Amino acid sequence: QFTSEVYRTDIWRRKFSSFVSDDALKIKSSIDLPLNEFKVLTKRSADGNSSYTGYISNFMNPLDYTSISNVCKSTGKYHYKSDGGYPDAERRRSILTAQDGISLFPEENVIWAIEVQTLDSANNGSSPRIRSDSIRKALGSTLSIETSHFGDIVLPGRKNACQLFVTEEVVHKVMEWNTSFSNKTFLSSPIEYIKVIDLKDVKISPFNEKTLTINEASNRLDAVASGGFGISRNKMTKMIASEEVMIDWKVITNGATNVKRGQLIAAGDMGQVRIEELGITSKGRRNVKVTRRTRLKGPGSI
């Protein structure tokens, strides 16, 4: 079993500096490592005579955990892996160790899952589309915990239900919540239950990929993204203003930003669009070839 201790930022910075050398951090000085989100994990050997130390983060977006992975790979001194509960997970926890025993930190010890079921009385029988970010924020408020403790969200195919990959802290919060009598609503709906479930019971659906060519007046983000995701320009503009849209996992709030070949656009929980080719027609318009990646509709769709 693991024991974990959350360190204050100043203490953790000293511990992280002793673990990852100054040379390693200088490789990409522009990386803003979320040091305060890491914890120390310790696992004792079966005979109890020795212990193994690892470092684990809360859930991160791909930009953050890729940056950390690159630092580890550049030095060759550190072992790294990330896990989000399933192979195609977008949000993941980073695990680092300076020892050869990275396998000592298996997935089942660092990823858990919960299920939330609400009653639909507040929605008058309807089941509106709700953004994943809104679900994390609302559940974080309900359980009094930061949203970084929540990973990907999937829908199990039942009305008003969702499943989330979470940290062990959320598991403890759920247990506390179930023994209290306060804050029993979630997104304005009465909560029927919040419970911990087995990872194998999370209903993951496959991705659907489609390549298409769109014709736009320019390479602006709002134009290309609206065409790529098949939604109105006005709706995409609102999503950008609400900080729901990222290019290569960096939030972009200017719809006039020009996109480039090879970039990845993520828009809320709608999926991802990768820019494959950019061309110009004889009339000066832009032909943009994109690959759209979304969850298949039905059980587990996001």
Side-chain angles (χ1 to χ4, degrees):
Q1 298 297 317
F2 289 109
T3 58
S4 63
E5 182 176 355
V6 180
Y7 291 91
R8 298 196 316 272
T9 302
D10 57 337
I11 298 177
W12 166 246
R13 285 184 185 277
R14 293 199 295 272
K15 285 184 169 290
F16 192 82
S17 295
S18 65
F19 174 64
V20 178
S21 67
D22 290 339
D23 289 339
L25 292 178
K26 288 178 182 176
I27 292 173
K28 289 191 71 175
S29 59
S30 61
I31 295 175
D32 182 19
L33 294 174
L35 305 181
N36 59 319
E37 291 190 357
F38 276 80
K39 295 174 297 181
V40 177
L41 294 180
T42 302
K43 182 174 183 181
R44 290 203 163 272
S45 60
D47 58 16
N49 294 327
S50 59
S51 62
Y52 306 91
T53 300
Y55 299 82
I56 186 168
S57 71
N58 291 338
F59 287 94
M60 298 178 172
N61 65 38
L63 178 64
D64 286 337
Y65 62 69
T66 300
S67 298
I68 295 173
S69 174
N70 289 339
V71 169
C72 293
K73 290 177 181 178
S74 297
T75 65
K77 300 177 182 178
Y78 314 106
H79 299 271
Y80 170 87
K81 75 173 183 179
S82 64
D83 183 59
Y86 66 106
D88 290 323
E90 179 177 303
R91 292 171 60 83
R92 294 173 173 268
R93 304 186 76 179
S94 290
I95 306 170
L96 302 88
T97 176
Q99 304 162 15
D100 292 334
I102 190 71
S103 60
L104 292 172
F105 302 93
E107 290 84 350
E108 61 266 22
N109 289 107
V110 298
I111 303 291
W112 284 261
I114 64 171
E115 182 172 286
V116 182
Q117 178 70 57
T118 65
L119 303 173
D120 63 5
S121 59
N123 295 326
N124 297 319
S126 64
S127 183
R129 175 182 176 273
I130 301 173
R131 291 168 35 211
S132 292
D133 285 347
S134 297
I135 291 175
R136 292 189 189 95
K137 289 178 181 178
L139 194 55
S141 176
T142 297
L143 298 176
S144 300
I145 194 167
E146 295 180 356
T147 56
S148 62
H149 289 277
F150 300 104
D152 284 5
I153 301 171
V154 296
L155 306 179
R158 297 193 312 278
K159 189 175 182 180
N160 299 321
C162 64
Q163 298 172 332
L164 301 89
F165 293 99
V166 299
T167 65
E168 61 274 21
E169 285 86 356
V170 174
V171 173
H172 297 317
K173 288 288 187 178
V174 168
M175 293 178 179
E176 293 174 3
W177 183 88
N178 279 317
T179 61
S180 69
F181 296 91
S182 61
N183 208 10
K184 295 291 187 180
T185 62
F186 174 64
L187 293 171
S188 301
S189 295
I191 297 175
E192 183 175 347
Y193 65 76
I194 302 178
K195 65 180 181 180
V196 180
I197 60 174
D198 196 290
L199 289 177
K200 69 177 185 298
D201 293 327
V202 180
K203 309 296 185 182
I204 302 294
S205 67
F207 278 103
N208 177 42
E209 288 194 357
K210 181 179 181 180
T211 299
L212 61 155
T213 299
I214 56 179
N215 187 281
E216 300 291 342
S218 71
N219 293 340
R220 288 172 52 115
L221 171 62
D222 49 10
V224 174
S226 61
F229 287 106
I231 63 175
S232 70
R233 180 82 165 264
N234 183 54
K235 184 174 183 179
M236 178 54 63
T237 299
K238 290 180 179 179
M239 292 184 69
I240 294 171
S242 299
E243 300 185 353
E244 296 180 59
V245 179
M246 294 183 284
I247 294 180
D248 291 340
W249 308 110
K250 293 182 180 180
V251 174
I252 304 297
T253 57
N254 184 2
T257 301
N258 285 325
V259 300
K260 301 176 182 178
R261 180 179 179 181
Q263 287 184 326
L264 182 75
I265 303 171
D269 55 7
M270 297 184 64
Q272 304 160 11
V273 165
R274 182 174 295 281
I275 311 300
E276 305 291 355
E277 296 178 11
L278 293 170
I280 301 178
T281 69
S282 58
K283 295 183 179 181
R285 292 180 64 83
R286 270 54 175 182
N287 266 341
V288 186
K289 183 178 180 181
V290 303
T291 298
R292 182 168 60 202
R293 193 173 194 235
T294 57
R295 290 282 182 187
L296 291 174
K297 300 298 182 182
S301 60
I302 297 178

